[in-house]
Amino acid sequence: TDLTQKRRAFSMISQNLLPLLKEVNYKAEPVYKQICPMAFNDDETAYWLSNTNEINNPYLGKKHPKYGAGMLHCGELGDSLIFKK
């Protein structure tokens, strides 16, 4: 029920999903690893996977209690799975 716990669970899923996609040699669509350097308490890094390279930060989102929507596009691209077709 706690939003921070849900975000931590989402982070854990993201951390485990990218290695799995690499292991099974996933090549269907691009997968972009996107990094938020301040996902938890403004100083803990977390990442998420996206099907687009546009940053839409789920950790800071549109309704963050401290930043509002001001940090929605905060983040950077990391190691991604992009295959030429």
Side-chain angles (χ1 to χ4, degrees), residues 2 10 12 20 35 40 42 47 52 71 77 81:
D2 180 84
F10 178 68
M12 182 191 66
L20 174 65
I35 303 163
F40 302 103
D42 291 348
Y47 71 86
T52 177
M71 300 295 273
L77 289 174
L81 300 175

Side-chain angles (χ1 to χ4, degrees), residues 32-50:
Y32 298 93
K33 177 182 177 181
Q34 300 180 341
I35 303 163
C36 176
M38 46 193 275
F40 302 103
N41 301 318
D42 291 348
D43 63 357
E44 190 177 333
T45 300
Y47 71 86
W48 69 99
L49 303 178
S50 178

Side-chain angles (χ1 to χ4, degrees), residues 3-60:
L3 185 56
T4 300
Q5 289 177 338
K6 289 179 181 180
R7 287 180 176 151
R8 289 204 182 274
F10 178 68
S11 175
M12 182 191 66
I13 290 168
S14 297
Q15 288 175 11
N16 290 302
L17 188 56
L18 188 60
L20 174 65
L21 293 174
K22 288 180 179 180
E23 182 68 27
V24 299
N25 204 21
Y26 174 84
K27 294 183 180 180
E29 296 293 328
V31 177
Y32 298 93
K33 177 182 177 181
Q34 300 180 341
I35 303 163
C36 176
M38 46 193 275
F40 302 103
N41 301 318
D42 291 348
D43 63 357
E44 190 177 333
T45 300
Y47 71 86
W48 69 99
L49 303 178
S50 178
N51 63 346
T52 177
N53 63 357
E54 179 183 353
I55 302 291
N56 284 305
N57 192 322
Y59 295 103
L60 301 179

